[in-house]
Amino acid sequence: LRAPMSTASSGAVVAEATVLNLLPPSKVATGICFLDHMVDQLTSHAMLGVTLRCGLVGESAPRFFAPLEDYARELGGQRPHDRDIAVACGTALGLALRAVVKEVEGAAGSAARGMAVFCAPLDEAFAEAKLTLHPPAASCGRCLVSLAPYGAHASRGGDGAGRRWIGRFRTELTPVFWSALAGGLGGDLSLRR
């Protein structure tokens, strides 16, 4: 099954995503190397083939990043588009996943219901993801993230000593990306470390 290209934008950033159901490998180029790695981990463990590319909107056409290209290298280390990249990439990937879910449901002749739970040892931690594909309207697009000491609440015991960066990736963008993905997918997502 192949979903059509899904597109999302945020600020000066545009992202495009396609999901090939059960056909890895992925081709990911977000402009933030650790985000590329994070999406690649998702797609390899879920056995999805994802094409996700992101670029800055120029005067004519967007300039898309190459895989493992850090967009900010040319900017002297300033990272003005990080949040927009997380939002645009998360939303585009969520929309592409929604298209795959609809295609699978159409082929099966019924809607996928219930909750999927995925657990895996990823890099430095054991992670658990719970996804409800068709949640009640009140929780549609919701994402609950509990990944301390990473993310916006990067603090151990409230002392602010948590990890704020992984390489050139601001950990506060982890819940931003996953929330955008949940919004695009229209599911209810819970991530726990």
Side-chain angles (χ1 to χ4, degrees):
L1 298 173
R2 181 185 172 100
M5 181 71 67
S6 297
T7 304
S9 62
S10 180
V13 174
V14 64
E16 298 176 341
T18 301
V19 175
L20 302 169
N21 189 27
L22 301 176
L23 293 173
S26 298
K27 295 178 184 170
V28 181
T30 66
I32 302 175
C33 296
F34 188 80
L35 184 56
D36 290 359
H37 168 71
M38 194 165 66
V39 172
D40 182 66
Q41 289 294 298
L42 164 73
T43 60
S44 65
H45 288 285
M47 296 179 61
L48 296 172
V50 169
T51 299
L52 175 62
R53 68 181 193 159
C54 183
L56 297 176
V57 177
E59 293 178 12
S60 56
R63 184 187 79 73
F64 287 98
F65 306 122
L68 301 176
E69 174 187 355
D70 182 6
Y71 85 93
R73 187 166 292 158
E74 307 167 352
L75 303 175
Q78 295 180 1
R79 307 197 65 82
H81 304 292
D82 284 8
R83 181 170 290 278
D84 289 330
I85 288 172
V87 169
C89 288
T91 303
L93 184 53
L95 291 169
L97 288 169
R98 180 190 293 189
V100 168
V101 168
K102 286 182 179 181
E103 190 172 336
V104 169
E105 289 174 341
S110 64
R113 298 279 178 209
M115 177 184 293
V117 178
F118 171 76
C119 299
L122 299 174
D123 296 331
E124 301 171 345
F126 184 76
E128 176 186 80
K130 292 182 181 178
L131 173 65
T132 303
L133 289 175
H134 298 288
S139 52
C140 188
R142 178 178 69 170
C143 182
L144 303 175
V145 178
S146 177
L147 298 172
Y150 308 104
H153 34 286
S155 172
R156 292 182 184 104
D159 62 4
R163 190 166 180 184
R164 299 198 182 282
W165 291 87
I166 298 174
R168 294 186 179 116
F169 179 73
R170 288 188 293 197
T171 59
E172 69 188 36
L173 297 176
T174 303
V176 171
F177 171 80
W178 290 108
S179 293
L181 185 143
L185 177 59
D188 182 13
L189 180 61
S190 171
L191 301 172
R192 185 169 67 95
R193 176 181 169 266

